Every structure is written in structure tokens, then in C-alpha cells.
Amino acid sequence: ATFSTEKYATAFTDGITLKEENFHGILSKTNKQWFLKKKSAAFQSAALTFEANLIDNEINSGSIVTYSIVGTNKNGRMDPSGDRNYKANIVVSDLEPGAYKIQANVTDSRNNLKIYRSQAISFYVTYPIYVTWTLDWEGWDVGQSDLNDIANIGDTYGMPITHFFNPRIYVKNQYTINKISSDRAKYITNWVLERRNSKYDEIGMHMHMWTDMVAEAGVSAKSYPVIQGTYGVDVPTYAYSREELKKIFNWGRQKFIEYGLGAPISYRTGAWMSGTDVLLAAQDAGFLIDSSGRTGGKVNASIPGSTEVPWSLDITTSPYLPDNNNINTWNNSANQRMRIWEFPNNGADSYWFPSSELIRRFDANYPNKGSIATRPQVITYLSHPHWFVSVDTWKIRGLLNYTSNYLYRDDEGPVVYATLETIYSEWERDKFINGN
């Protein structure tokens, strides 16, 4: 709680003749300093609790006590809550982002209606800076040490994970790349289900166009052009038509339902190889979120002949509804934009990028540390579970050690750890349309 103790305070007359100054004591406090600006009703319950205790016996215990937020029209009666103590629960999430002050006003009915004001206590209303951690499951087994480490990070930092889970593990005739047994497929399925049920993780869908999976989905698999710079055996998702992709996506969603994973709303394409047909097919299949967007360049910058990614977003691009004809732009005209939301992978991939770059991208999206955010933002990071312990773990731990300094839940700032589906539920309701 935030406290203020007032010993000498100016008495406000409001037209009533008073002495120049009155000696009194008021102990006032708020439950927290940081509050989220939300248009929706979902966060309205996160009220500011303001208390004032009349610790100076000179003030009549039967006084009328009110609160006022300086510079606003928010004010009201404070209710008695014990001996000489008064309390009010105040919704502040509808205030515009900014720094505010709240104070108690005491009208002493016994002493010529003297009015005293407590010292003002500061609080902040801010939009959230969402940080989300996503895992791309590539379609084969994951070691137990990797699973344990991922779970440890999620639990230690209170970070719910968005799993882009891969239905290729359910393919009966596996021949494209690493095989997984049905027992292990069942095991890792149950592992992510347990995470979702107990830790509120999200289960989305991730797909590379592995030819064995494409064939089982009932589509003629393509062998060209092969993506250069990754596994060397799959073609870009954009090589398939909208109708073919819709069929593949529906096969994957059906497998999720068969194995108890439910119907996913989030999708990410393999190696970020998306396109207009890819997003429209994902939209057709029932996905509400895509998280394939990123900055431009090669899929593997260390390989000169590596395939170029089809994206050209900035690291500060916010979620947006893509233009029907260009996945990298957005349009204010509703009939010219897709219905699927693009939540970019703007925080980078912890495999390809060093921890310094992960932190730099957080800094770019929240440049003024300790200050309010005047617009909401989402920063999405990507890791892979398969080589997590050997490559990613210390990068992600270093990142979260840094971002945890500004957590909303710790009353330290605007940062909120959340899954994409949780963020989407508020983003869609609040209608933040454009990525700029």
C-alpha cells in the first residue's frame, strides 16, 4: 500500500470563515499505484481502494469524509470502516492514461464546518504492455529436460505460455523428418493439456508443410521450392493455394479435437513463410489470430542463400487486421481488411537472436521505463522446445529477469504477462485496429 501522513495541512474554506491553518493528522493510503486503462468492463473490478484514518482526535469522528481525484470530476463519499477510518473503492480504469492524485476531504460538522484535505497520493493509469512467450513445436518429440526447464520458467516468472502445437505428431505414416512414437505423441499431448488446465497456458497451432502431413491431409505434397536455411525438406506454406491450405488447416484442427486439445484460435506458419492466401485460409479455417509476422530479411541471416521471409514489419508494430492484398499493411476500411488479427512475432526468436536483441526489442516497445504507456502494445517472443536447454533457456531467463522489473501484478509498471488468446479477448473488444 502507498501511505501518506499529514501533520500540517491547509484548511480549505470553500466560503466558510476559518483560521488560516489548522493542526491535524490524517493517515491515508491506497491499495496500489498502477491501474490499467480499459474500455471493456472486464477490468473495471480492479478498483483503487482509498482509506483515510482520522488519527488526530481534534477532528470529530462524526465528520463527513469524501475523496476527490485532483483535476477530474471523480469524487464521492467515503464509508466508515472502523474506528475513525473511512474507505472508498473507486473505478479508475476509465480515466485517460496519466499520473493522478487522490486526497481525502474532511468536513468537521462539530467545528464550524471546517474542511480539511489530506495530502494527495499519486497513482497511475496506463495501457498495458503485454509480453507473451510462444513456443513453436516442430512436429516431433521433445526431451524431458527441455519440458522441465520450460515449465520451470513459466512457473518461476508467472508467465503463461502460448504453445503453437504441431499436429504432425499424429501422422500415421511419418517419413519426412524425425519420427515420434504414438506413446510419446500421447505424452507430450498430455503435457501441454496439463499446462493449459493448471497454468492457463494456451494451445495454438504451428505447421510446417511436412510432406507426410500434407499427404495425410489429402493434398498433393509439393517438393519445390524448398526453404533454404532451415531444415531443407519443407516448402514455404505460401506455395500452397488457399483451398489446399484450408484443407490442411482443417485436418490439423480436427486432429486437435480428436486428441482433446480443443479448437485453437491462434496460428503460426512454419519459418514465417506466410502470404495473403495463407492468412485467408487460416481465417477460413476458423483461426482468429496469426502470429507469423516479423521484420524482414532472411530466415537464417548467417546463410547467404537463405530464403527471404515475406514480412517487412517493424519491431514496434502493434496487432492489426491485415489488408486483403498485402499482409504487411493495414487499412482503415473494414471491407478491405481481413478478419484475422496479426499479432506479430516482434520480440524475435530466442534461437536465432542473442539475449541483448530480445531486451532491445522490449526497450523499443517500452522506451520510458517506469512511466505510463499511452497506448497498448504487445511484444511476442518465440522459442522452440526441442533444443531449449542447450540454446534458449538463459536468453529467456535473462529477458524475463529484465521485464519483471515493470510488472503490473507487482505494482511496478504496465507490463502484463499473458497468452495471445487472453490479449485478443481484450484487444478485439477495445478495437485497437492499426499496427502503427
Side-chain angles (χ1 to χ4, degrees), residues 204-247:
M205 184 178 292
H206 181 55
M207 280 185 163
H208 283 261
M209 293 297 105
W210 307 125
T211 54
D212 49 10
M213 183 195 75
V214 171
E216 183 163 311
V219 174
S220 297
K222 302 179 189 297
S223 57
Y224 182 84
V226 173
I227 301 171
Q228 302 299 316
T230 57
Y231 300 110
V233 294
D234 63 320
V235 304
T237 304
Y238 59 67
Y240 289 87
S241 70
R242 181 174 175 177
E243 285 305 310
E244 289 172 326
L245 289 170
K246 184 178 177 182
K247 195 170 184 179

Coordinates of all heavy atoms in Angstrom, one line a residue, residues 204-247:
G204 N -2.2 -23.2 -29.3 CA -2.5 -22.8 -30.7 C -1.9 -23.8 -31.6 O -1.5 -24.9 -31.2
M205 N -1.8 -23.5 -32.9 CA -1.3 -24.5 -33.9 C -0.2 -23.9 -34.7 O -0.2 -22.8 -35.1 CB -2.5 -24.9 -34.8 CG -2.0 -26.0 -35.8 SD -3.4 -26.5 -36.9 CE -4.5 -27.3 -35.7
H206 N 0.9 -24.8 -34.9 CA 2.0 -24.4 -35.7 C 2.2 -25.5 -36.8 O 2.0 -26.7 -36.5 CB 3.3 -24.4 -34.8 CG 4.5 -24.1 -35.6 ND1 4.7 -22.9 -36.3 CD2 5.7 -24.7 -35.7 CE1 5.9 -22.9 -36.8 NE2 6.5 -24.0 -36.4
M207 N 2.5 -25.1 -38.0 CA 2.6 -26.0 -39.1 C 3.7 -25.7 -40.0 O 3.8 -24.5 -40.5 CB 1.3 -26.1 -39.9 CG 0.2 -26.9 -39.4 SD -1.2 -27.0 -40.5 CE -2.1 -28.4 -39.9
H208 N 4.6 -26.6 -40.3 CA 5.5 -26.7 -41.4 C 4.8 -27.6 -42.4 O 4.1 -28.5 -42.1 CB 6.9 -27.2 -41.1 CG 7.8 -26.2 -40.3 ND1 8.7 -25.5 -41.0 CD2 7.8 -25.9 -39.0 CE1 9.3 -24.8 -40.1 NE2 8.8 -25.0 -38.9
M209 N 5.1 -27.4 -43.7 CA 4.4 -28.2 -44.7 C 5.2 -29.5 -44.9 O 5.7 -29.8 -46.0 CB 4.3 -27.4 -46.0 CG 3.3 -26.3 -45.9 SD 1.6 -26.7 -45.6 CE 1.4 -26.2 -43.9
W210 N 5.3 -30.3 -43.8 CA 6.0 -31.6 -43.9 C 5.1 -32.4 -44.9 O 3.9 -32.5 -44.8 CB 6.0 -32.3 -42.6 CG 6.7 -31.5 -41.5 CD1 6.2 -31.2 -40.3 CD2 8.0 -30.9 -41.5 NE1 7.0 -30.4 -39.5 CE2 8.2 -30.2 -40.2 CE3 9.0 -30.8 -42.4 CZ2 9.3 -29.5 -39.9 CZ3 10.2 -30.1 -42.1 CH2 10.4 -29.5 -40.9
T211 N 5.8 -33.1 -45.9 CA 5.1 -33.8 -46.9 C 4.2 -34.9 -46.4 O 3.2 -35.2 -47.0 CB 6.0 -34.3 -48.0 OG1 7.1 -35.1 -47.4 CG2 6.7 -33.1 -48.7
D212 N 4.7 -35.6 -45.4 CA 3.9 -36.7 -44.9 C 2.6 -36.2 -44.2 O 1.5 -36.8 -44.4 CB 4.7 -37.6 -43.8 CG 5.4 -36.8 -42.8 OD1 5.1 -35.6 -42.6 OD2 6.2 -37.4 -42.0
M213 N 2.6 -35.1 -43.6 CA 1.4 -34.5 -43.0 C 0.5 -33.9 -44.1 O -0.7 -34.1 -44.0 CB 1.8 -33.3 -42.1 CG 0.7 -32.7 -41.3 SD 1.1 -31.1 -40.6 CE 1.2 -30.0 -42.1
V214 N 1.1 -33.3 -45.1 CA 0.3 -32.7 -46.2 C -0.5 -33.8 -46.9 O -1.7 -33.7 -47.2 CB 1.2 -31.9 -47.2 CG1 0.4 -31.5 -48.4 CG2 1.7 -30.7 -46.5
A215 N 0.3 -35.0 -47.1 CA -0.3 -36.1 -47.8 C -1.5 -36.7 -47.0 O -2.6 -37.0 -47.5 CB 0.7 -37.2 -48.1
E216 N -1.3 -36.8 -45.7 CA -2.4 -37.4 -44.9 C -3.6 -36.4 -44.8 O -4.7 -36.9 -44.7 CB -1.9 -37.6 -43.4 CG -3.0 -38.3 -42.6 CD -2.4 -38.9 -41.3 OE1 -1.5 -39.7 -41.4 OE2 -3.0 -38.7 -40.3
A217 N -3.3 -35.1 -45.0 CA -4.4 -34.2 -45.0 C -5.2 -34.2 -46.4 O -6.2 -33.5 -46.5 CB -3.9 -32.8 -44.8
G218 N -4.7 -35.0 -47.3 CA -5.4 -35.2 -48.6 C -5.1 -34.2 -49.6 O -5.8 -34.0 -50.6
V219 N -3.9 -33.6 -49.5 CA -3.4 -32.6 -50.5 C -2.1 -33.2 -51.2 O -1.3 -33.8 -50.5 CB -3.1 -31.3 -49.8 CG1 -2.5 -30.3 -50.8 CG2 -4.4 -30.7 -49.3
S220 N -2.0 -32.9 -52.5 CA -0.7 -33.4 -53.2 C 0.4 -32.5 -52.7 O 0.5 -31.3 -52.8 CB -0.9 -33.2 -54.7 OG -1.9 -34.0 -55.2
A221 N 1.4 -33.2 -52.1 CA 2.5 -32.5 -51.5 C 3.5 -31.9 -52.5 O 3.7 -32.6 -53.6 CB 3.3 -33.5 -50.6
K222 N 4.0 -30.7 -52.3 CA 4.9 -30.1 -53.2 C 6.3 -30.3 -52.7 O 6.6 -30.3 -51.5 CB 4.6 -28.6 -53.3 CG 3.2 -28.3 -53.8 CD 2.9 -26.8 -53.8 CE 1.4 -26.5 -54.1 NZ 0.9 -27.0 -55.3
S223 N 7.3 -30.4 -53.6 CA 8.7 -30.6 -53.2 C 9.5 -29.4 -53.6 O 10.7 -29.4 -53.4 CB 9.2 -31.9 -53.9 OG 9.1 -31.8 -55.3
Y224 N 8.9 -28.4 -54.2 CA 9.7 -27.2 -54.6 C 8.8 -26.0 -54.5 O 7.6 -26.1 -54.7 CB 10.1 -27.4 -56.1 CG 11.0 -26.3 -56.6 CD1 12.3 -26.2 -56.4 CD2 10.4 -25.3 -57.3 CE1 13.1 -25.2 -56.8 CE2 11.1 -24.2 -57.8 CZ 12.5 -24.2 -57.6 OH 13.3 -23.1 -58.0
P225 N 9.3 -24.9 -54.1 CA 10.7 -24.6 -53.8 C 11.0 -24.9 -52.3 O 10.2 -24.6 -51.4 CB 10.9 -23.1 -54.0 CG 9.5 -22.6 -53.7 CD 8.5 -23.6 -54.1
V226 N 12.1 -25.5 -52.0 CA 12.5 -25.9 -50.6 C 13.0 -24.6 -49.9 O 13.7 -23.8 -50.5 CB 13.5 -27.0 -50.6 CG1 14.0 -27.2 -49.2 CG2 12.9 -28.3 -51.1
I227 N 12.6 -24.4 -48.6 CA 13.1 -23.3 -47.9 C 14.6 -23.5 -47.6 O 15.0 -24.6 -47.1 CB 12.4 -23.2 -46.5 CG1 10.9 -23.0 -46.7 CG2 12.9 -22.1 -45.7 CD1 10.0 -23.1 -45.5
Q228 N 15.4 -22.5 -47.9 CA 16.8 -22.6 -47.7 C 17.2 -21.9 -46.3 O 16.7 -20.8 -46.1 CB 17.6 -21.9 -48.8 CG 17.3 -22.5 -50.2 CD 17.7 -24.0 -50.3 OE1 18.8 -24.4 -49.8 NE2 16.9 -24.8 -50.9
G229 N 17.9 -22.6 -45.5 CA 18.3 -22.0 -44.3 C 17.7 -22.6 -43.0 O 18.1 -22.2 -41.9
T230 N 16.8 -23.5 -43.2 CA 16.2 -24.2 -42.0 C 16.4 -25.7 -42.1 O 17.6 -26.2 -42.1 CB 14.7 -23.9 -41.9 OG1 14.0 -24.2 -43.0 CG2 14.5 -22.4 -41.6
Y231 N 15.4 -26.5 -42.3 CA 15.5 -27.9 -42.3 C 15.9 -28.5 -43.6 O 16.3 -29.6 -43.7 CB 14.2 -28.6 -41.7 CG 13.9 -28.1 -40.3 CD1 12.8 -27.3 -40.1 CD2 14.7 -28.5 -39.3 CE1 12.5 -26.9 -38.8 CE2 14.4 -28.1 -38.0 CZ 13.3 -27.3 -37.8 OH 13.0 -26.9 -36.5
G232 N 15.6 -27.8 -44.7 CA 16.0 -28.2 -46.0 C 15.1 -29.2 -46.6 O 15.4 -29.8 -47.7
V233 N 13.9 -29.5 -46.0 CA 13.0 -30.5 -46.6 C 11.6 -30.0 -46.8 O 10.7 -30.8 -47.3 CB 13.0 -31.8 -45.7 CG1 14.4 -32.5 -45.8 CG2 12.6 -31.5 -44.3
D234 N 11.2 -28.8 -46.3 CA 9.9 -28.3 -46.5 C 9.8 -27.1 -47.4 O 10.7 -26.3 -47.4 CB 9.2 -28.1 -45.1 CG 9.9 -26.9 -44.3 OD1 11.1 -26.9 -44.4 OD2 9.2 -26.1 -43.7
V235 N 8.7 -26.9 -48.0 CA 8.5 -25.8 -48.9 C 7.7 -24.7 -48.1 O 7.1 -25.0 -47.1 CB 7.7 -26.2 -50.2 CG1 8.3 -27.3 -50.9 CG2 6.2 -26.5 -49.8
P236 N 7.8 -23.5 -48.6 CA 7.1 -22.4 -47.9 C 5.6 -22.7 -47.9 O 5.0 -23.2 -48.9 CB 7.4 -21.2 -48.7 CG 8.7 -21.5 -49.4 CD 8.6 -23.0 -49.7
T237 N 4.9 -22.3 -46.8 CA 3.5 -22.5 -46.8 C 2.8 -21.8 -47.9 O 1.7 -22.3 -48.4 CB 2.9 -22.0 -45.4 OG1 3.7 -22.8 -44.4 CG2 1.5 -22.3 -45.2
Y238 N 3.3 -20.6 -48.3 CA 2.7 -19.9 -49.4 C 2.7 -20.5 -50.7 O 2.1 -20.1 -51.7 CB 3.2 -18.4 -49.4 CG 4.7 -18.3 -49.7 CD1 5.3 -18.7 -50.9 CD2 5.6 -17.8 -48.8 CE1 6.6 -18.6 -51.2 CE2 7.0 -17.7 -49.0 CZ 7.5 -18.1 -50.2 OH 8.8 -17.9 -50.4
A239 N 3.4 -21.7 -50.8 CA 3.5 -22.4 -52.1 C 2.2 -23.1 -52.4 O 1.9 -23.5 -53.5 CB 4.6 -23.4 -52.1
Y240 N 1.3 -23.3 -51.3 CA 0.0 -23.9 -51.5 C -1.1 -22.9 -51.7 O -1.0 -21.8 -51.2 CB -0.2 -24.8 -50.3 CG 0.6 -26.0 -50.2 CD1 1.9 -26.0 -49.6 CD2 0.2 -27.2 -50.7 CE1 2.7 -27.1 -49.5 CE2 1.0 -28.4 -50.7 CZ 2.3 -28.3 -50.1 OH 3.1 -29.4 -50.0
S241 N -2.1 -23.3 -52.3 CA -3.3 -22.4 -52.6 C -4.1 -22.3 -51.4 O -4.0 -23.0 -50.4 CB -4.1 -23.0 -53.7 OG -4.8 -24.2 -53.3
R242 N -5.0 -21.3 -51.4 CA -5.9 -21.0 -50.3 C -6.8 -22.2 -50.0 O -6.9 -22.6 -48.8 CB -6.8 -19.8 -50.6 CG -7.8 -19.4 -49.5 CD -8.4 -18.1 -49.9 NE -9.5 -17.7 -49.0 CZ -10.2 -16.6 -49.1 NH1 -9.9 -15.7 -50.0 NH2 -11.1 -16.3 -48.2
E243 N -7.3 -22.9 -51.0 CA -8.1 -24.0 -50.8 C -7.3 -25.2 -50.3 O -7.8 -26.0 -49.4 CB -8.8 -24.4 -52.2 CG -10.0 -23.5 -52.5 CD -11.0 -23.4 -51.4 OE1 -11.4 -24.4 -50.9 OE2 -11.4 -22.2 -51.0
E244 N -6.1 -25.4 -50.8 CA -5.3 -26.5 -50.3 C -5.0 -26.3 -48.8 O -5.0 -27.2 -48.0 CB -4.0 -26.6 -51.1 CG -4.2 -27.2 -52.5 CD -3.0 -27.1 -53.4 OE1 -2.2 -26.1 -53.2 OE2 -2.8 -28.0 -54.2
L245 N -4.6 -25.1 -48.5 CA -4.3 -24.7 -47.1 C -5.5 -24.9 -46.2 O -5.3 -25.4 -45.0 CB -3.7 -23.3 -47.0 CG -2.3 -23.2 -47.6 CD1 -1.9 -21.7 -47.7 CD2 -1.3 -23.9 -46.8
K246 N -6.6 -24.5 -46.6 CA -7.8 -24.6 -45.8 C -8.0 -26.1 -45.5 O -8.4 -26.4 -44.3 CB -9.0 -24.1 -46.5 CG -10.3 -24.1 -45.7 CD -11.5 -23.5 -46.4 CE -12.7 -23.6 -45.6 NZ -13.9 -23.0 -46.3
K247 N -7.8 -27.0 -46.4 CA -7.9 -28.4 -46.2 C -6.9 -28.9 -45.2 O -7.2 -29.7 -44.3 CB -7.8 -29.1 -47.5 CG -8.3 -30.6 -47.6 CD -8.3 -31.1 -49.0 CE -8.9 -32.5 -49.0 NZ -8.9 -33.1 -50.4

